[in-house]
Amino acid sequence: MRGPVLISLLPAAVLFSVFFAVPLVVLVGTAFTDWSGTQMAFVGVDNFARLGADPVFAKVATNTVFYLAASVLVQVPLGVAVGIVLAMKVPGWRALRTVLFIPFVISGAAYALIFSMFYNPRFGLLNNLIAPLGLPQRDWLYETGTARWAIAGTFVFILGFVIVVTMAEITSIPAELYEAAEVDGATGWQQQTRITLPLLRNAIGTCVLIRLLADIGMFDLVFILTAGGPDDATATLALYAYRAYLHGEWGHANAVGLVILLLGGALIVTVRRVFRIGERDR
């Protein structure tokens, strides 16, 4: 059976090599070169030294960390909370689950266009909502004080993925645990905090990890809404690398890509250890 097995694995091996292994090798190798697409010269760690000395890189790295924090501290906890409530099968829970999941399947470009109208300073819904409260009208996406918060506001409420994962994990919790807790006099709140949340550790860790890995390469929302402005207040690492590519600095751009890759690897290791993903509860 060795021959047929190897043949069956060949298409997957080819696809893996062409779309992952080879690009990864190119990324790592060219990150240490001055590569313009037509000419290449080895420059060692000069690209990384340049990144360390560039204040714009420090700013976009800070912005990226801000977006990651928004996902971990707002999106995931809120999604888990909503998932727990819907898992209790409150009236209309199926319809609510569907409605809340819809934003997750909308393309980033379409979502960005929707929010560009929402934040519009002249006829946007947000300014119209706060006008009766006497609050000042703002150009939310093009003021340095609000732009980064406005970008975060476009994705922290996309809860569909976290909700579905949370609800799926809750269905695997034995009902006997809740029945026993109820017999012992535990309130509904105590059941959720003492049983549900601890047993959701793997699911929560998985959601945190996936959201971090998705947002570390955030590009489309920022590019469409602000193109990184104003004054790089919303720019991300991915957008910074894109600009380097546009200027023909491919080696410099790939150095940024390698930084993103290493940061992603560090996040994977850290989150797996913090949440003990894959480990059994003792």
Side-chain angles (χ1 to χ4, degrees):
M1 292 293 294
R2 182 177 299 178
V5 170
L6 292 176
I7 293 175
S8 66
L9 293 177
L10 183 60
V14 171
L15 291 174
F16 177 82
S17 299
V18 172
F19 294 104
F20 182 80
V22 173
L24 179 61
V25 171
V26 172
L27 172 70
V28 175
T30 57
F32 300 91
T33 66
D34 180 8
W35 183 28
S36 63
T38 57
Q39 297 180 344
M40 181 184 298
F42 181 76
V43 294
V45 296
D46 287 0
N47 285 329
F48 299 95
R50 180 180 169 189
L51 292 178
D54 188 357
V56 176
F57 178 77
K59 183 179 291 188
V60 301
T62 302
N63 293 339
T64 302
V65 171
F66 176 83
Y67 298 139
L68 296 180
S71 287
V72 173
L73 301 179
V74 180
Q75 188 180 37
V76 173
L78 188 58
V80 170
V82 174
I84 291 175
V85 172
L86 294 183
M88 297 169 64
K89 298 184 178 180
V90 296
W93 69 274
R94 288 189 177 87
L96 287 172
R97 180 182 60 183
T98 302
V99 170
L100 291 172
F101 190 75
I102 289 175
F104 179 71
V105 299
I106 296 177
S107 72
Y111 207 74
L113 290 175
I114 292 172
F115 270 91
S116 67
M117 294 183 286
F118 177 75
Y119 287 128
N120 188 281
R122 290 184 297 174
F123 55 80
L125 179 60
L126 182 56
N127 276 339
N128 288 330
L129 288 174
I130 66 175
L133 303 177
L135 297 175
Q137 306 291 286
R138 309 291 294 268
D139 191 352
W140 299 94
L141 291 172
Y142 290 95
E143 293 182 18
T144 55
T146 60
R148 192 166 63 177
W149 293 93
I151 293 291
T154 65
F155 66 85
V156 294
F157 299 110
I158 303 178
L159 308 176
F161 174 78
V162 180
I163 290 173
V164 170
V165 172
T166 300
M167 295 182 69
E169 187 71 7
I170 290 176
T171 59
S172 68
I173 300 176
E176 292 80 3
L177 295 178
Y178 296 102
E179 294 170 359
E182 189 172 355
V183 170
D184 291 338
T187 64
W189 172 256
Q190 290 173 327
Q191 292 178 32
Q192 299 303 327
T193 56
R194 304 293 178 84
I195 298 176
T196 305
L197 277 178
L199 294 179
L200 285 176
R201 188 196 72 240
N202 273 290
I204 294 174
T206 300
C207 290
V208 168
L209 183 58
I210 291 177
R211 290 314 315 161
L212 287 176
L213 295 181
D215 293 338
I216 197 174
M218 182 181 296
F219 176 81
D220 52 354
L221 279 175
V222 175
F223 182 74
I224 294 173
L225 285 173
T226 64
D231 191 28
D232 297 309
T234 61
T236 61
L237 290 171
L239 186 59
Y240 182 90
Y242 173 75
R243 291 173 177 172
Y245 276 117
L246 291 182
H247 288 88
E249 300 176 327
W250 292 13
H252 184 60
N254 284 349
V256 181
L258 184 56
V259 170
I260 295 174
L261 184 66
L262 294 175
L263 181 57
L267 289 175
I268 291 174
V269 173
T270 301
V271 173
R272 285 182 62 87
R273 289 185 176 179
V274 170
F275 287 92
R276 295 182 290 118
I277 297 176
E279 299 181 14
R280 292 183 178 272
D281 294 306
R282 298 178 179 178

